[in-house]
Amino acid sequence: MQPKLIFKTTLLLLLLFPLLSFAQKSYKLSGKVVDNSGGIPLEYATITLIDETGEKTNQGGITNFDGEFNFDVTEGTYTIKVEYISFEPKIYKNRHIDKKTNMGTVVLQMSSANLDEVVVTAETTQVDVRLDKKIYNIGKDLTTQGSTISDALNNVPSVNVDVEGGISLRGNDNVRILINGKPSAMAGFGSTDVFQQLPADAIERVEVITSPSARYDAEGTAGILNIILKKEKTLGFNGSISANVGYPEQYGLSANLNLRTDKFNIFNTTGVYLRKSPGNAYFNNVYKQSTGIDKIIEDREYDRQYKGIYTNIGMEYFLTESSSITGSFYTRFGDDKDVTENANTQYLTDASQRKNFREEIEKEKDQSYQASLNYTNSFNDEGHKFTADFQYSYDKEKRPTTIEENLVYPTNQLIAKERINEKETQNEFLIQADYVLPMGDAQFEAGYRGNFEKKTTDYLLDTLNRNSNIFELNERLSNTFIYHENVNAIYTQYGNKFGNFSFLAGLRLEHTQLKGDLERFTEDNQSLEEELGVAFKTNFDKNYLGLFPTLNFIYELDENQNISLGYNRRINRPRGWFINPNPSRSSRTNIFQGNPDLDPAYSSTFDLGYLKQWEKLTLTGSVYYQHETDSFERVVMDTGKETSDGQKIIRTMPINLSTEERIGAEFSVIYNPEKWLRLNGSFNIFNFDKEGIYDGVDYSAKSTSWFARFSSKVTLPGSVDWQTNAFYRGPQKNAQTESDGIFSLNLAFSKEIIKNKATLSFNISDVLNSRKRNSTTETATYWQESEFQWRERQFSLSLIYRFNQPKNQRQRGQNNNGGFDDGDGGF
């Protein structure tokens, strides 16, 4: 090459170099991806950039836990595609990147043929599958309007609420219940009674977490139910007011209010309620080794009344564009009354009869308080974030109870009269900190959580001295039980995405201290263990250190189909009435008694899931296997003691069995064939194999059971919606007890009386009055047949009035969260 030509070429390259450097310059592209039904962040949504030739580039990324993305893009013109499994993708063509660009909030909606069908499907419970959970948006489920949180949970696939209000997941009742991701006074500190009182319309969504990641508490061998309460995200003042009446007597009035500006967000839920819940029970006890009594039949009638007021108020204040502080306060005052009438007929060996009548009147005054504080700081737009939480909860319950039992045949005679004064207080502190660090397509997390709980139960029993007609303190059974549960935990987890494959791996370390002290009112030589007739020690101080690994995978077969695999190790700590050794006194012959000697149970669970979505049909399914050690089991035993009039005393008590293996499968279908018809159903079948010996008795058992639910919603002429919910739980058994299947049917009708503002609904719960538990129990000394109905059939009428909501929701869908804003986003 000639020197002159070399000079010209070099000069040309030097002149073009700044242009070439400028052409290769990169700019930040950021934004947030949420769903359209509740503004829920979509974790692991994919952002793909396609160049002008139609080829995918190696640029792009995925969203973090909060649905946020931030990555570098080389200057140029692209088609940008935002995708998430089971959702319609958003495509933005010919977008030129020449500066730092914030795309705003991108809203994706469930796949559907047209917008009308999206609106229709939003009216029923919908499912969204994530790496570590399934999210069910309750929507406008008619059978939950005017109903309680328990009723709403009973409509969620995989969840079952039994006749006593107990909640189980996939047939396993060792489930952890959280409110907004934390233990809460609203959840009754482990008791589910409050869920039968609070309204269902306070719920935004329910997260069913059968394979929890390391960021969640390891409590609950069945998994976690996380109930997310409503908090409006649109600007301005808006909300709803609902009222309901029903039979048996039921009245309720509640309001959900929200005021949001650019600087703060104030939210409040307040309600009052009065609800009666009549129930009944029947027990037929036949004794194999008679000592004067062959059989005892008990007929019980329950008359329960719940009334109270609750409020939850909070404020989120935006300190800067990247940080905020949120404070909230919850309180509830309850004034309940339970009346139990027990008609007892004794069949004696000489063919004669003796009849007793026992009445128990229990009053309960409950006060709950909870204060929460949250601080959030986002260090940049890439999802680098730190959050800190503090929560204090206090609960106080006073339960004065009077019990009177009389012989009514063949003569009239007072048998016993007692007064119980029980006071229970609970203090709980929660401290939590979480750190999130995105690293390209990957994400690292770490955190700490401390739970410190103290529960004190003062129990005073006064017995009437029939000779002096004066109540005297029973010093042997009166006591104070103090229980501490302290849990310290640290965790770390890492997630990444490679093409269609995503994974999330984590490890959690937890130290648990369980401590109990029972202080008696007497110091005589006879111990409480001898008085109660049990072998365990009532005072204990136990410490446990455990590692809890989690691993979750998702492989996307295509846009509408994926396979997931999860593994986790969990713990189930004994709580509440499973620990307290004081025996129940609703019956002199059938008692329940807690066991302070219970150790935590541990489980390892594998879960293989599948999701497929067509135009009008969504199918989800999974198979699972669980191995649990020291599992809890309630066993029935003869105490060897008798009442003063010769009746045998039978005790039910929880114990640790050695192992339990459970294998099962479940699937659910959501089908919307027409705009006027929506159908969904789910089916769960499981087999468990328990092995264990306690006090020389083999309690091993094998059983297969199943439950199914079906729901249909039809729009009738005149725009009247008709919804039917049916549920069936198949027969099941353990080593001692066999229970029959249970079927229940709920109906609801709804009519919008003021367009977009007011809806009137009529609901019939348990139409056939068939939600009853029938079971038989057999031990070496006796046989029992029983029937129990917690709540009889109910009718309710509810009215919901909404203000400033529909208009704001449309604006939110089209502008605030509807995609890029040409004015603010830079496009």
Side-chain angles (χ1 to χ4, degrees), residues 460-472:
L460 298 177
L461 174 62
D462 295 329
T463 304
L464 181 69
N465 185 322
R466 285 180 287 176
N467 294 324
S468 63
N469 202 34
I470 296 175
F471 282 96
E472 299 175 349

Side-chain angles (χ1 to χ4, degrees), residues 30 36 48 63 140 152 159 184 208 216 233 236 329 350 353 402 456 468 533 584 602 632 660 709 743 776 802:
S30 60
N36 69 317
T48 305
T63 57
K140 299 177 182 178
V159 180
S184 172
V208 178
Y216 292 103
K233 302 175 179 65
F329 178 77
D350 61 3
Q353 295 182 17
T402 59
T456 303
S468 63
S584 64
Y602 296 89
F632 300 164
E660 176 183 337
R709 55 169 46 87
F743 175 78
T776 57
R802 300 172 294 274

Side-chain angles (χ1 to χ4, degrees), residues 24 66 156 238 267 373 430 452 458 473 545 668 677 748 782 792:
Q24 295 299 314
D66 295 310
V156 175
N238 48 73
F267 50 92
L373 193 65
L430 168 70
F452 310 97
D458 292 317
L473 177 67
L545 184 66
S668 65
L677 177 63
Y782 90 107
E792 299 173 0

Side-chain angles (χ1 to χ4, degrees), residues 283-289 291 293-296 298 300 344 532-534 583-594 634-643 646-653 699 736-737 777-786:
F283 298 89
N284 179 13
N285 303 308
V286 178
Y287 300 98
K288 298 179 179 179
Q289 302 171 0
T291 58
I293 299 177
D294 287 333
K295 181 171 68 172
I296 297 177
E298 292 184 57
R300 298 187 194 178
N344 179 309
L532 298 176
V534 294
S584 64
R585 305 192 73 80
S586 58
S587 169
R588 291 194 300 147
T589 56
N590 289 283
I591 65 172
F592 178 89
Q593 188 172 9
R634 283 186 281 188
V635 299
V636 183
M637 61 189 74
D638 188 345
T639 63
K641 295 187 175 184
E642 296 181 352
T643 64
Q647 301 182 59
K648 289 181 177 295
I649 300 176
I650 306 301
R651 174 172 51 229
T652 301
M653 188 175 69
Y699 291 101
Q736 296 178 311
T737 302
T777 299
E778 186 169 6
T779 71
T781 59
Y782 90 107
W783 176 87
Q784 182 191 79
E785 176 188 27
S786 66

Side-chain angles (χ1 to χ4, degrees), residues 410-467:
T411 61
N412 289 307
Q413 179 183 339
L414 177 66
I415 296 177
K417 193 170 184 179
E418 299 176 338
R419 293 189 312 203
I420 301 172
N421 284 289
E422 188 172 10
K423 183 175 71 173
E424 189 172 273
T425 59
Q426 179 163 317
N427 290 272
E428 184 170 353
F429 291 89
L430 168 70
I431 303 172
Q432 181 173 333
D434 298 278
Y435 176 75
V436 181
L437 176 64
M439 298 179 291
D441 288 348
Q443 182 167 292
F444 169 80
E445 294 183 44
Y448 162 81
R449 173 182 283 192
N451 261 90
F452 310 97
E453 175 188 329
K454 178 182 179 182
K455 189 172 186 177
T456 303
T457 304
D458 292 317
Y459 184 86
L460 298 177
L461 174 62
D462 295 329
T463 304
L464 181 69
N465 185 322
R466 285 180 287 176
N467 294 324

